[in-house]
Amino acid sequence: MSAPLSIAPLDHAAYLRYALTLAEFAPERPTNFRVGAVLVDELSNSLLSTGYTMELPGNTHAEQCCLQKYNGFTQTPGSDNTVPSEQKLVLYTTLEPCNKRASGNTPCIETILSFRAQNMQISKVYVGTKEPEKFVGENEGSKKLEQAGVEYLHIRGLEEAILKVATAGHATS
Ligand code: HJL
Ligand code: ZN
């Protein structure tokens, strides 16, 4: 997928709003959050992949779906998948990527960093809000990204809307 977008280059709030529209496709469940994610080449301003919670079969996260789909588009057996120098991969996600999952599944931080091992460096992660301390205590996702040299940027203004979508289906107390 590489589509021209009507989103202006570096309009981070617009990309996050787009990710939020994707989050609304996720099923409502009391045991996780509904999240949307978008992978963009920041240099050409092209959309590379999208994902939302449980888009792919199984108990999948938005970032995981987005990156797994991108891998599916680009991976040709025997080919070099290095990000060309004219590309700069950045990930937008409505919620801070997870560093620990209550299910014990692979956290999205590991998936994001594993892209680097395949020479597909994700330079920046733009996030709409931190993960609420509901399922796994404090999420250290942002810290782990920064420690690994991936820029982590909180884009402000959509927190309330993002949490409303993320927690739909949760019991109110
Ligand atoms: C992010 C997602 C999603 C979460 N976070 N960034 N993207 N669902 O698509 C984080 C939350 C975990 C719970 C339950 N949610 O999802 O901490 O069952 O959903 O592995 O810890 O873990 P599982
Ligand atoms: Zn995750």
Side-chain angles (χ1 to χ4, degrees):
M1 187 195 300
S2 181
L5 280 181
S6 53
I7 296 177
L10 304 177
D11 188 345
H12 307 308
Y15 273 115
L16 265 186
R17 279 196 299 274
Y18 176 52
L20 185 55
T21 65
L22 299 171
E24 299 201 56
F25 288 107
E28 296 182 8
R29 287 166 86 227
T31 51
N32 72 2
F33 296 111
R34 298 163 79 219
V35 179
V38 182
L39 186 70
V40 173
D41 170 20
E42 200 162 75
L43 294 187
S44 66
N45 191 38
S46 45
L47 176 66
L48 301 176
S49 187
T50 60
Y52 57 85
T53 309
M54 297 189 68
E55 178 185 7
L56 293 179
N59 181 9
T60 51
H61 280 190
E63 303 90 321
Q64 178 186 2
C65 293
C66 183
L67 296 180
Q68 204 167 310
K69 282 163 68 184
Y70 180 65
N71 246 340
F73 303 138
T74 57
Q75 291 251 353
T76 315
S79 78
D80 177 1
N81 293 301
T82 303
V83 175
S85 58
E86 66 274 14
Q87 273 196 350
K88 184 173 185 185
L89 303 192
V90 301
L91 182 70
Y92 290 86
T93 177
T94 55
L95 205 67
E96 175 188 19
C98 66
N99 185 49
K100 187 176 174 190
R101 296 175 59 161
S103 64
N105 286 359
T106 304
C108 293
I109 294 296
E110 270 183 44
T111 308
I112 292 169
L113 296 179
S114 78
F115 258 49
R116 183 167 49 186
Q118 302 166 65
N119 288 328
M120 293 189 290
Q121 167 77 302
I122 293 171
S123 309
K124 296 183 198 175
V125 177
Y126 296 101
V127 169
T129 191
K130 272 197 76 69
E131 178 181 339
E133 293 187 25
K134 192 164 196 175
F135 300 120
V136 288
E138 191 189 348
N139 179 10
E140 300 206 318
S142 53
K143 207 196 285 179
K144 283 279 153 62
L145 287 175
E146 280 169 348
Q147 281 168 356
V150 178
E151 249 185 282
Y152 172 89
L153 294 120
H154 181 171
I155 306 302
R156 296 185 192 276
L158 288 171
E159 291 84 350
E160 207 177 312
I162 285 170
L163 288 175
K164 189 167 177 220
V165 172
T167 59
H170 292 192
T172 47
S173 53

